[in-house]
Amino acid sequence: MTNCVRLPVESGNINDALKEFFSSLLEHDVVQAVFLPMRQPDGVMVMHTLVRDPKRLEGLDPLAPVTPTSTARLLSSLTFKKPGYRIAAFLRPCDCRAYVELVKLKQADREQILLITTDCEGRLEPRDFLELVSEAGDGSAMVFHERLERDDDTLPLVRACRVCEHPVHEGADIGLRIFGSDPENELVLCAQTNVGTEALYPLGLEEAKEPEGRGKALAEIIAGRIAERDSMIKEYGERTSSFAALRDVLKTCINCYNCRAACPVCYCRECVFLTDTFRHDPEQFFRWAGKKGRVKLPTDTAFFHITRMLHISTLCVGCGQCSTACPMDLPVMELFRTAANRTQARFEYEPGRSPDEPLPLSVFEDQEFLELTAE
Amino acid sequence: METIQLDNLDSGFKRELARLPEAANLMACFTCLTCVASCPVAQVDSRFNPIRIIRMALMGLREDVLKCEELWLCSSCYTCQERCPNDVRITDFLTLLKNMALKEGHAPQGIRAQEDLVRTHGRIYPLDDFDNKKRRKIDLPPLPTSCDVLEALFRPE
Amino acid sequence: MAEQNLDTVLVIGAGVGGIKAAIDLAERGCRVILAESSPALGGILSQLDYQFPNNHCGLCRMLPAWERDPASEYCMRKGLFHRNIRILPMTELIGLEGGAGRFEATLRTFPRGVAPERCIGCGRCEEACPVEVYDGFNEGMGKRKAVHREVPHNVPFSYVIDFEACTKCGECVEACPTEAISLEEKDTQAVYQAGAVILAPGCGLYDPGPPDAYNYQSLPDVITSLELERILSGSGPTSGRLIRPSTGEHVRSIAWIQCVGSRNAGRGQDFCSSICCMFALKEALLVKERSPETEATVFYMDMRAYGKEGYRYHLQSAAAGTELVQCRVHTVEAGPDGRLYIRHYLEAEGEVRERAFDLVVLSTGQASTPEMKRLAGVAGVELNTCGFAPGPGLRTSAADRAGVFWCGSATGLKDITETVLQAESAAAEAAACAGVTSESPESPSPATRDVSREIPRVGVLLCRCLGGQGRDLPWEEIRGDIAAHPDIVDVVEADLLCRPEGFDEAVRKLGGKDLNRLVVGACAPYVYDRRLRKLGAGLGLREDLVEVVDLRGTGLGTGDPREKRRLAGSVVASAVQKQKHREFPGTAVISAVRKVVIVGGGLAGMTAALTVAESGIQVHLLEKEDRLGGETRQRRFTLDGGDPVSFLQGLEERVRGHEAIEVYTGTELIGFSGEPGCFAARIQTGDKGESLACGAIILATGCREAETDEYGLGRSNRIIRQGDLEAGLAAGRFSAGDLGRVIMIQCAGSRDPDGRAYCSRICCASALKNAFKILEVNPDADIFVLYRDFMSYGFMESRYRELREMGVQFITYRPEKKPEVEVEGDEVLVRFQEPILRRTVDVHPDLLILSTGMEPSDNRSLARLIGIQLNEDGFFQEMDPKWRPVDLERPGVFACGTALSPRNMEEAVIQARAAAMRAVILLGRKTLPSSRTVSEVRQALCSLCETCISICPFEARFRDKDRIHVIPSACQGCGLCAAACPNGAAWLPMFTDRQAMGMIEGLVD
């Protein structure tokens, strides 16, 4: 039922086209607020911004190839209690999927959100993005797109994106088409849900078709990324084949907990590792040191990561924010996707697939995991 | 098999029977099938089935049960009667039915022929001089070839 | 030396019935003396590992829900500790003087030979004992010594001497490291006063020995159903492997033979043992689960899987591949190939067949025992002609001597559900008879000091003997290792803690050390249970601040000294961590509204109302019609000559006359909220609404006689239902002429997967009682009953036989070949297949009676209103059909009567008293302390993801605005929420992460 509309692009300036679109969403009162990436006053870094005044959309840059922090998490901070406003939110597919998980976890609201996503070519780490901007200025998004088009492998795409087999999200209400399309001259937006259709209708935009080449392009991209993903999982499966090996990979963790702060689905108000449970008595350290002769501090580093895997590996959407946030450059994303690959398969669970799919932990079957439970 | 018209049957038959000592407890039968399962005859000849005969009697199929040939297949081994959990005297009951059948002339041909022999000779196997001749050869005393008291025995009052 | 305890109830027999009655009475506030002739609790159930529906043990579900004993009260096989229950094992009743409210009971206790408080279960006596006898626990399969453990898997592993086998050689006395054995003990006698006596001795099982044709004694592969239970059991003689006793080969085919020792008037066994059919179906299912390829065949007469779930179960077992052959088997013979041959009649073929099996299981029924006769004699009460306690009848479960009550299988073999119901009912009556005050005394908790604010000061007590294995342990080092732990104040050692000298020494050493935790390293835990509490109390410590670890069990006996030292150290360290990091939750307390709302004023509702009211608790009795009585008003007579009409009148008068009962007619429940102990019920009478506060609610909305569209009901005035017939007969509406020939069709619209899938349980009885009435009017009446399986369970069987002897004929039909009915003007034609003659029968009866059974009132809206489940058939769904048969999912909500499950009046009365007892127990206290381990919520940490709510199997959690709440009385402390919650916002005070980590920490290097 996809019915699509086209936004004409004047002289390659996609942001003006998108500005049109979002401001008319506000003017037609389809939504009362939009939440999307905008260049900040310094004119450089792009951050998600909540806008209620259609006249304040200057500097929006939805396709800027950067996401400094999980926007799913940011959006949930607007909706963990019913906001009372309809919000059009522009999220990358990974953040859409994370957002769906947060909805299931009662941390966010879906009903009042008009979820708009885009075909995702990937993102850059903030520092790499700044470099790109210094060359390309406002046009960074298009430059990024063109360089990818001609397979410029000097482009430091973050690894999470290179192994991401979900570059689109069907669950969103509206999807911006990039793959197989011609953003130079037009942007195609397609409604993917009834909500999306109803949202586009009043804007009276020009009808359009799904870009022809899209299906094929998408298939190629996904195939390529799956191949990369599998080789990564193979590599890390081997690198963490024993506890000793895993501990070695994690030996330089400094317990800054940035990874969990950045993780969109690590939803606890306060992490158990910050509670008294892990505030050991001093004599405890001495007992440890006593047993083995010495003990490395901080302790509980591998314990922390394993616990986090236990808690959220089934929900991990592979957005890679953990690695982005890690000051010690630990391969957090790699480890989590390697674990998630098996846990998610075991529960036949795909995070973000559908808000109606129950969380693995909340369903209990009598004859489950017999290989573990049967005596 | 044609349909049984229950309306026309003799519903009093079962109670009539139950008053006779051989049919004591007859009605207590709960069709557990022990009798037929343990019957040596039924094992070799599926026509014979004590429970079927009991059920015919209880249903009031008076004539059918007295006429039925199977009645005469019972070897009177008493296994069923021994094993009946309701103390139905099955073998005795079959004997009772045989006697009734005979009285009412329903007994099968062979049985009636035997009856005649007994009437006339007092034996199921009649003797004549030929037999006595052979006996003499091996020094056995002769046997009477006729029996005078039969006359008296079978004289109708 | 008689103790002056008039609110004491004496319970004889500690099987399921006895234990359940004892626990209910204890919770109700009675003091209970529980005397059991054997050394172990549990009765026959201790031999049954698997019980349906879920194949688990389940004994623990009998335990108190409201106030569990803090000392490891979670498994009945570890014993029963309730401060109001005094257990006297190996004790029997030998005299009963006085009467209701003032009995003087003389009890005799036989010597155990082994002092339980000293026995450490080390097993050396068993090794030493030269006497071998057959093992009763395993039904004589396998051997045991004269000194043995009655139930091998029970804890504590304390031994007992079988003095009938013992030769008094004294080997065991020598071998015992703790001097626990004495062969010279004598019987002791004591007199107790009690207000009431409950007799629950259980019954025996029929011994299929000669004279029999099954060759049970000569053929090893012919076994009883209980023996099969043992074979299937992990603790059994084959450790659970399904093998032929004769050869040890895997069993490829099993035959069950039903009615062994039952339904055999010829041998004076003129009864049905009620449970064997379900039991056989269960065992067949178990076998199919264990080894699907094994053929399971049940030879039966009537498949008496009756009642609420019976027929579904019957189908379930059949679907699993159990073959059901309708033929009573008399002979089992061994063939030349060693297999067992069964000759049977195959109705479908009309021929006799022979089949071979690897194993033949005899479903042995109930049997009266000498003990039952002796007990009845001592108690001065009568048994019926079959040697069983008389059924309750409509009046009460009292025996013919006031103040004496029967319960359990002594009244005829019962399944767990019926036993539990009967026990609770008897408990309710006994409590009333013993004059228990409406308010049960708050159980006195021993004076202990609050140590929650103190810094942990752990004391460690080590017993050096460890059943003789501890002598060569490096105690000095061990002690040193442990003492190094910063939280440990002192490590004290003792020899033979199990002996008074050792114990007193320990107490002396520990005194004055200002400890607030104590860890004891000794033999198997639980052994010293009661004395440890004394020890704790001596130090002013609550029981759960004393931790016992089993040093011997950890394998200290083996390995080199260094290994032993490490083990001992780590085991103790682990326990110290557990105590150090324990939390001190304030147990939630609800103050109870001591009122009960009862919905439905029929037989069950009124009975429940009276039982509650007589215990001094207020009752609001709601009836939606304008008069009381419900469906029971339609009952004019019963099978055993009871008079329901006057019974019901009497009941109504007592209800109306009771000042504690307020009756609302024409009233319905329209709103319900709150939690156990304090609910708000919104009711409506006409257009007038009202709110009632109550602490519990009992649902008794009853049933009605079912309609059916089968067999032309309603198309001719010759076609009526059993209920209509009963009414007509009572009103004298039928003359002999109207009743010349009568046909009854059973299971009309019942036991039909597409219709009412359940058995209504009463229809066969109704057919019987109405047939008797018909024969009163017309002795020559020709009555035919067309049935599928005739459910004359229990002692009803003899009435069934009487009717046959009076000429009533019973003819089976198969569901796939139902009788046909045609209405021809004024006439009715019934056509059915006669299976034996294998001929069609046509008949025009004067009357055609349909047994349509009962169907529950429409409770859908009520269920939604209260938040409980209905089963597929519209009956209320029990929380646990076996062990909590009147509790519904929502705590504080109970049900009884035919709205819960189909049953006759007697059974409904029992069930109603049981429901009332549950409510009274709940509201017996001013406040409701919940069991210690109730999960809690750390609101500051909670992210409101509600995972704990969705995962809680007991509906114990709910969200209210921005908080998650726990219903303490509903929470069973299972810990699922704590496991599911990522950051410990949901937690169990007695099982915290810190404790767990500390314990692991203590155990591993």
Side-chain angles (χ1 to χ4, degrees):
Chain A
M1 59 118 239
T2 56
N3 50 356
C4 308
V5 297
R6 70 183 283 274
L7 313 175
V9 176
E10 302 301 328
S11 62
N13 193 336
I14 54 171
N15 284 342
D16 289 355
L18 289 166
K19 193 155 128 201
E20 271 306 299
F21 173 71
F22 282 103
S23 62
S24 77
L25 276 178
L26 285 168
E27 281 152 357
H28 289 84
D29 198 39
V30 175
V31 295
Q32 293 80 46
V34 297
F35 185 56
L36 74 181
M38 291 182 113
R39 253 173 281 117
Q40 294 312 295
D42 66 5
V44 181
M45 184 45 87
V46 171
M47 302 293 287
H48 255 64
T49 309
L50 182 69
V51 184
R52 293 183 62 182
D53 178 353
K55 294 179 199 59
R56 295 303 318 278
L57 281 163
E58 72 275 7
L60 89 173
D61 194 354
L63 297 179
V66 68
T67 309
T69 181
S70 165
T71 53
R73 209 184 172 108
L74 295 177
L75 183 56
S76 80
S77 64
L78 301 178
T79 66
F80 72 93
K81 287 182 181 164
K82 287 224 178 293
Y85 300 91
R86 275 190 68 70
I87 309 170
F90 188 92
L91 268 54
R92 293 179 181 277
C94 51
D95 277 314
C96 289
R97 289 161 53 235
Y99 191 73
V100 170
E101 291 308 296
L102 290 172
V103 170
K104 289 187 205 172
L105 289 161
K106 315 283 188 300
Q107 306 300 304
D109 170 70
R110 181 71 177 83
E111 285 161 19
Q112 300 198 304
I113 298 298
L114 178 66
L115 195 55
I116 303 176
T117 191
T118 174
D119 292 356
C120 181
E121 298 180 289
R123 65 176 174 90
L124 301 171
E125 297 294 9
R127 56 178 177 283
D128 300 322
F129 173 69
L130 291 176
E131 205 162 301
L132 182 71
V133 174
S134 62
E135 302 161 8
D138 299 2
S140 62
M142 284 312 290
V143 173
F144 176 77
H145 171 68
E146 284 149 16
R147 285 178 62 180
L148 278 177
E149 289 285 284
R150 56 182 145 81
D151 304 322
D152 171 353
D153 46 23
T154 64
L155 198 64
L157 202 58
V158 305
R159 188 167 192 186
C161 302
R162 278 190 259 118
V163 299
C164 171
E165 66 280 63
H166 297 289
V168 300
H169 181 61
E170 270 84 15
D173 301 309
I174 297 172
L176 173 58
R177 304 311 193 211
I178 300 294
F179 301 131
S181 74
D182 173 20
E184 278 294 331
N185 302 312
E186 65 168 13
L187 292 175
V188 177
L189 285 162
C190 293
Q192 307 184 131
T193 67
N194 295 335
V195 177
T197 317
E198 283 155 27
L200 289 180
Y201 178 71
L203 310 185
L205 294 158
E206 184 185 343
E207 289 276 339
K209 283 208 175 47
E210 282 277 3
E212 270 100 21
R214 182 163 182 270
K216 184 160 161 301
L218 186 56
E220 279 169 13
I221 288 163
I222 292 177
R225 292 181 173 184
I226 286 180
E228 285 228 29
R229 178 199 69 188
D230 293 345
S231 64
M232 172 191 85
I233 284 171
K234 185 164 177 302
E235 176 194 349
Y236 278 87
E238 285 155 6
R239 281 185 59 184
T240 60
S241 53
S242 70
F243 179 68
L246 176 65
R247 195 173 39 197
D248 191 50
V249 174
L250 293 166
K251 60 180 175 301
T252 59
C253 173
I254 58 171
N255 271 8
C256 66
Y257 304 128
N258 284 0
C259 48
R260 77 152 294 268
C263 178
V265 292
C266 225
Y267 65 97
C268 287
R269 246 199 232 179
E270 187 175 13
C271 179
V272 64
F273 279 84
L274 302 175
T275 63
D276 281 354
T277 307
F278 285 89
R279 196 160 182 282
H280 309 297
D281 297 346
E283 50 92 2
Q284 176 77 66
F285 295 97
F286 291 92
R287 195 149 6 103
W288 277 326
K291 275 192 177 177
K292 287 267 187 286
R294 65 186 214 179
V295 62
K296 177 211 90 193
L297 269 64
T299 55
D300 304 319
T301 47
F303 194 1
F304 163 72
H305 291 283
I306 291 169
T307 306
R308 226 168 67 77
M309 281 180 192
L310 192 68
H311 288 166
I312 55 95
S313 73
T314 50
L315 314 183
C316 174
V317 295
C319 65
Q321 290 292 349
C322 43
S323 289
T324 298
C326 180
M328 302 297 286
D329 289 328
L330 293 176
V332 189
M333 180 279 293
E334 288 84 342
L335 293 177
F336 269 70
R337 288 223 56 186
T338 306
N341 184 49
R342 290 182 64 180
T343 55
Q344 293 177 4
R346 193 62 185 73
F347 285 98
E348 289 163 3
Y349 185 76
E350 183 189 309
R353 183 159 44 188
S354 146
D356 315 323
E357 213 171 332
L359 294 161
L361 253 187
S362 66
V363 282
F364 179 77
E365 286 160 23
D366 211 6
Q367 296 293 315
E368 223 174 8
F369 291 99
L370 290 177
E371 74 274 21
L372 305 175
T373 58
E375 69 278 340
Chain B
M1 284 279 240
E2 100 272 20
T3 303
I4 299 174
Q5 297 300 335
L6 201 57
D7 308 351
N8 315 335
L9 299 184
D10 176 357
S11 61
F13 188 47
K14 55 176 182 285
R15 295 198 171 95
E16 176 189 324
L17 287 170
R19 278 190 284 276
L20 304 167
E22 298 94 329
N25 299 343
L26 178 65
M27 297 195 296
C29 170
F30 54 25
T31 345
C32 66
L33 304 171
T34 300
C35 48
V36 51
S38 57
C39 173
V41 179
Q43 202 181 359
V44 295
D45 184 341
S46 63
R47 283 178 307 159
F48 182 69
N49 182 340
I51 183 65
R52 204 175 289 157
I53 295 169
I54 292 174
R55 177 50 61 84
M56 283 164 89
L58 291 178
M59 292 270 291
L61 289 157
R62 192 179 203 290
E63 194 148 342
D64 306 38
V65 76
L66 293 182
K67 280 185 179 157
C68 77
E69 305 253 322
E70 295 85 62
L71 200 53
W72 303 87
L73 291 174
C74 171
S75 65
S76 308
C77 70
Y78 279 87
T79 309
C80 53
Q81 181 159 333
E82 181 55 36
R83 295 179 170 184
C84 174
N86 288 306
D87 282 357
V88 177
R89 294 170 54 184
I90 305 167
T91 315
D92 296 345
F93 171 62
L94 293 177
T95 314
L96 169 73
L97 289 180
K98 290 180 202 167
N99 289 332
M100 291 173 74
L102 198 57
K103 259 205 209 82
E104 304 184 14
H106 296 313
Q109 204 28 264
I111 301 292
R112 275 199 253 102
Q114 291 184 351
E115 181 198 7
D116 291 338
L117 286 173
V118 176
R119 256 182 211 288
T120 48
H121 301 81
R123 287 204 174 82
I124 289 175
Y125 175 72
L127 295 169
D128 56 19
D129 299 341
F130 175 76
D131 302 274
N132 279 335
K133 202 182 290 166
K134 286 217 225 80
R135 292 176 62 90
R136 219 176 298 117
K137 281 207 180 105
I138 49 170
D139 300 329
L140 284 173
L143 290 167
T145 53
S146 69
C147 178
D148 323 338
V149 294
L150 282 174
E151 184 61 19
L153 259 174
F154 289 111
R155 183 186 307 117
E157 294 79 29
Chain C
M1 63 161 287
E3 302 171 22
Q4 181 66 29
N5 276 353
L6 290 187
D7 65 349
T8 297
V9 173
L10 174 62
V11 179
I12 304 295
V16 172
I19 293 178
K20 184 59 193 165
I23 291 177
D24 275 22
L25 286 162
E27 281 200 278
R28 176 78 178 75
C30 289
R31 265 154 293 186
V32 180
I33 298 164
L34 179 58
E36 164 61 42
S37 55
S38 90
L41 303 186
I44 192 170
L45 227 65
S46 57
Q47 288 174 278
L48 309 184
D49 287 16
Y50 306 96
Q51 291 139 27
F52 268 83
N54 57 5
N55 287 9
H56 299 142
C57 161
L59 274 170
C60 54
R61 284 175 230 151
M62 278 202 290
L63 291 168
W66 306 114
E67 189 184 35
R68 282 195 195 167
D69 190 305
S72 63
E73 183 67 303
Y74 52 83
C75 174
M76 291 286 288
R77 292 184 169 179
K78 293 180 167 51
L80 170 64
F81 322 101
H82 193 296
R83 48 173 68 91
N84 288 0
I85 301 178
R86 175 156 172 203
I87 301 172
L88 304 173
M90 306 188 72
T91 299
E92 64 181 25
L93 180 71
I94 56 170
L96 187 64
E97 304 304 316
R102 39 169 195 79
F103 285 108
E104 287 215 337
T106 312
L107 300 181
R108 171 169 54 204
T109 303
F110 296 99
R112 258 187 100 86
V114 185
E117 69 282 4
R118 285 198 187 188
C119 174
I120 55 175
C122 63
R124 297 179 166 210
C125 49
E126 193 171 17
E127 288 159 25
C129 177
V131 187
E132 275 203 338
V133 293
Y134 281 105
D135 180 359
F137 179 73
N138 280 328
E139 289 301 299
M141 301 179 288
K143 299 258 185 130
R144 65 156 169 82
K145 298 293 190 73
V147 54
H148 65 287
R149 302 204 306 244
E150 190 67 10
V151 179
H153 48 258
N154 273 16
V155 188
F157 307 117
S158 52
Y159 278 79
V160 57
I161 290 173
D162 170 358
F163 279 101
E164 288 184 1
C166 175
T167 58
K168 305 216 165 178
C169 66
E171 294 289 340
C172 52
V173 182
E174 291 304 309
C176 179
T178 62
E179 295 174 19
I181 304 181
S182 150
L183 300 178
E184 301 316 320
E185 283 182 59
K186 296 268 165 291
D187 304 358
T188 56
Q189 285 191 16
V191 177
Y192 297 84
Q193 291 204 351
V197 180
I198 293 178
L199 304 176
C203 71
L205 288 180
Y206 174 73
D207 172 7
D212 85 314
Y214 301 126
N215 296 308
Y216 170 69
Q217 285 201 333
S218 52
L219 300 176
D221 299 332
V222 178
I223 63 176
T224 65
S225 42
L226 199 52
E227 284 166 358
L228 177 61
E229 199 74 27
R230 295 313 305 152
I231 286 180
L232 292 172
S233 159
S235 61
T238 67
S239 8
R241 282 170 309 127
L242 182 58
I243 55 176
R244 304 179 68 189
S246 62
T247 62
E249 300 163 326
H250 178 65
V251 174
R252 291 157 301 158
S253 58
I254 308 186
W256 279 262
I257 299 181
Q258 299 305 100
C259 302
V260 177
S262 308
R263 303 188 70 184
N264 195 338
R267 285 216 198 144
Q269 294 138 353
D270 196 6
F271 49 70
C272 158
S273 295
S274 309
I275 66 168
C276 323
C277 284
M278 284 295 268
F279 203 77
L281 289 175
K282 177 197 92 171
E283 290 191 329
L285 258 177
L286 267 182
V287 166
K288 280 286 178 189
E289 281 174 12
R290 290 293 183 77
S291 113
E293 79 285 358
T294 298
E295 292 173 21
T297 309
V298 179
F299 292 96
Y300 71 103
M301 292 168 35
D302 296 280
M303 187 43 68
R304 291 186 174 168
Y306 50 90
K308 190 178 187 178
E309 293 300 336
Y311 188 58
R312 273 214 180 72
Y313 196 26
H314 174 158
L315 293 177
Q316 184 189 344
S317 190
T322 307
E323 184 188 5
L324 303 173
V325 179
Q326 188 170 28
C327 178
R328 186 179 181 117
V329 174
H330 189 275
T331 314
V332 178
E333 285 157 334
D337 56 358
R339 304 186 75 201
L340 302 168
Y341 286 79
I342 289 181
R343 230 190 304 149
H344 64 92
Y345 179 73
L346 210 56
E347 200 174 87
E349 310 299 326
E351 286 180 1
V352 176
R353 294 292 169 82
E354 188 157 57
R355 271 178 66 181
F357 297 91
D358 289 343
L359 195 67
V360 168
V361 179
L362 307 180
S363 291
T364 48
Q366 64 197 28
S368 179
T369 62
E371 174 59 11
M372 288 160 72
K373 295 193 179 60
R374 189 193 66 78
L375 199 55
V378 173
V381 294
E382 295 296 320
L383 296 179
N384 68 17
T385 51
C386 300
F388 285 83
L394 255 189
R395 199 173 46 76
T396 117
S397 53
D400 36 21
R401 180 173 179 184
V404 181
F405 306 89
W406 287 103
C407 81
S409 294
T411 63
L413 215 45
K414 300 227 169 340
D415 65 13
I416 292 171
T417 308
E418 296 303 318
T419 306
V420 167
L421 288 173
Q422 216 184 25
E424 292 182 319
S425 169
E429 292 190 282
C433 175
V436 180
T437 52
S438 70
E439 219 165 274
S440 49
E442 301 298 321
S443 35
S445 46
T448 58
R449 72 176 204 271
D450 171 15
V451 304
S452 56
R453 304 251 177 291
E454 301 175 9
I455 300 161
R457 293 173 52 81
V458 187
V460 176
L461 169 59
L462 301 171
C463 176
R464 278 192 296 243
C465 123
L466 302 188
Q469 296 174 11
R471 307 228 181 283
D472 54 347
L473 280 178
W475 286 109
E476 269 321 302
E477 293 84 342
I478 293 177
R479 180 184 182 160
D481 302 344
I482 297 172
H485 196 295
D487 302 295
I488 294 182
V489 177
D490 193 11
V491 181
V492 170
E493 291 170 57
D495 286 308
L496 296 172
L497 198 50
C498 44
R499 284 169 53 182
E501 312 84 278
F503 188 81
D504 301 342
E505 179 196 1
V507 178
R508 240 192 348 272
K509 288 185 179 171
L510 287 168
K513 292 241 162 56
D514 182 31
L515 304 173
N516 53 27
R517 311 275 199 287
L518 178 63
V519 172
V520 182
C523 297
Y526 311 107
V527 175
Y528 313 108
D529 179 81
R530 298 196 176 288
R531 323 180 88 235
L532 277 179
R533 277 190 240 165
K534 260 198 273 153
L535 180 50
L539 301 168
L541 295 181
R542 214 165 59 184
E543 298 91 332
D544 52 339
L545 287 163
V546 181
E547 186 82 20
V548 191
V549 292
D550 176 8
L551 285 184
R552 199 174 109 255
T554 53
L556 283 197
T558 61
D560 66 295
R562 283 183 54 261
E563 178 62 4
K564 291 178 180 179
R565 172 181 171 181
R566 195 189 61 72
L567 266 172
S570 55
V571 171
V572 172
S574 164
V576 170
Q577 289 286 333
K578 180 179 172 194
Q579 279 301 337
K580 175 188 172 184
H581 292 300
R582 54 157 304 137
E583 301 278 346
F584 294 84
T587 39
V589 168
I590 311 145
S591 58
V593 179
R594 310 192 62 256
K595 290 188 177 139
V596 177
V597 164
I598 298 178
V599 185
L603 176 63
M606 288 197 283
T607 308
L610 266 181
T611 312
V612 172
E614 277 161 4
S615 75
I617 292 177
Q618 288 282 325
V619 176
H620 300 290
L621 181 60
L622 318 182
E623 169 57 53
K624 73 171 187 305
E625 290 175 37
D626 50 18
R627 55 183 293 200
L628 296 173
E631 176 67 11
T632 312
R633 283 209 310 273
Q634 311 307 321
R635 303 281 77 80
R636 305 308 206 288
F637 36 83
T638 69
L639 185 54
D640 52 18
D643 175 2
V645 178
S646 57
F647 175 81
L648 204 61
Q649 277 167 359
L651 189 59
E652 178 165 356
E653 279 158 22
R654 285 166 64 205
V655 165
R656 297 234 179 235
H658 202 297
E659 77 284 345
I661 302 177
E662 195 169 349
V663 177
Y664 303 71
T665 49
T667 303
E668 295 197 57
L669 186 74
I670 59 169
F672 191 73
S673 62
E675 60 182 295
C678 49
F679 291 113
R682 183 86 190 145
I683 64 169
Q684 184 153 25
T685 312
D687 50 10
K688 169 174 153 294
E690 188 179 349
S691 270
L692 304 172
C694 63
I697 185 166
I698 299 176
L699 307 177
T701 49
C703 69
R704 53 178 175 271
E705 185 171 25
E707 295 288 342
T708 181
D709 47 14
E710 287 189 294
Y711 308 119
L713 180 61
R715 304 221 317 272
S716 159
N717 53 9
R718 289 185 186 277
I719 305 176
I720 59 176
R721 298 173 299 173
Q722 291 287 1
D724 314 328
L725 174 64
E726 180 174 356
L729 288 165
R733 222 179 297 134
F734 300 108
S735 68
D738 308 326
L739 303 169
R741 186 169 267 130
V742 179
I743 308 283
M744 295 182 178
I745 300 179
Q746 301 301 99
C747 297
S750 296
R751 300 211 305 156
D752 171 359
D754 313 324
R756 292 188 297 282
Y758 54 93
C759 158
S760 286
R761 194 174 168 132
I762 56 154
C763 322
C764 289
S766 314
L768 293 179
K769 84 178 176 185
N770 288 340
F772 275 114
K773 282 288 170 188
I774 291 173
L775 290 171
E776 280 177 23
V777 181
N778 175 10
D780 298 325
D782 196 22
I783 306 175
F784 286 81
V785 180
L786 309 181
Y787 71 101
R788 284 164 55 188
D789 296 281
F790 205 78
M791 306 294 188
S792 55
Y793 56 91
F795 296 102
M796 215 190 299
E797 181 70 13
S798 62
R799 308 289 287 159
Y800 175 38
R801 179 182 45 75
E802 286 167 36
L803 261 189
R804 295 195 309 270
E805 286 171 348
M806 291 166 78
V808 178
Q809 293 190 59
F810 294 80
I811 297 176
T812 53
Y813 71 86
R814 299 261 155 268
E816 56 275 12
K817 259 198 183 168
K818 288 182 181 173
E820 297 155 25
V821 176
E822 288 167 29
V823 179
E824 308 168 335
D826 178 42
E827 289 295 292
V828 170
L829 167 69
V830 180
R831 170 171 294 150
F832 62 91
Q833 299 300 318
E834 207 302 314
I836 301 300
L837 303 179
R838 315 179 73 198
R839 289 171 65 181
T840 308
V841 179
D842 279 5
V843 57
H844 295 83
D846 299 305
L847 277 181
L848 171 61
I849 314 298
L850 304 181
S851 293
T852 55
M854 60 172 69
E855 62 190 357
S857 318
D858 183 352
N859 290 313
R860 279 169 299 187
S861 53
L862 189 60
R864 230 176 290 113
L865 190 71
I866 297 181
I868 48 174
Q869 295 293 318
L870 301 177
N871 78 350
E872 306 97 304
D873 307 315
F875 292 100
F876 290 120
Q877 181 61 57
E878 308 89 341
M879 167 123 178
D880 178 329
K882 276 190 154 37
W883 300 101
R884 302 250 175 109
V886 292
D887 297 32
L888 302 189
E889 275 165 315
R890 184 168 179 179
V893 180
F894 309 95
C896 61
T898 47
L900 180 56
S901 55
R903 46 192 53 242
N904 64 32
M905 284 181 274
E906 291 83 348
E907 294 164 336
V909 166
I910 287 175
Q911 198 187 29
R913 281 205 207 87
M917 184 65 173
R918 298 291 299 166
V920 170
I921 287 170
L922 169 58
L923 304 181
R925 310 176 173 78
K926 279 208 219 63
T927 58
L928 301 178
S930 48
S931 67
R932 268 181 194 285
T933 48
V934 170
S935 76
E936 299 191 357
V937 183
R938 291 195 181 97
Q939 300 293 353
L941 294 182
C942 179
S943 309
L944 298 168
C945 68
E946 297 181 24
T947 307
C948 55
I949 295 176
S950 58
I951 205 170
C952 175
F954 301 100
E955 319 279 327
R957 291 179 157 244
F958 65 94
R959 176 174 180 171
D960 173 21
K961 298 200 183 53
D962 292 343
R963 292 175 77 82
I964 304 292
H965 296 268
V966 179
I967 303 174
S969 47
C971 176
Q972 300 297 308
C974 71
L976 273 177
C977 51
C981 181
N983 68 343
W987 67 295
L988 270 169
M990 297 302 284
F991 303 91
T992 64
D993 293 350
R994 296 194 82 175
Q995 280 179 296
M997 292 196 298
M999 290 171 73
I1000 296 167
E1001 160 79 35
L1003 287 170
V1004 301
D1005 292 333

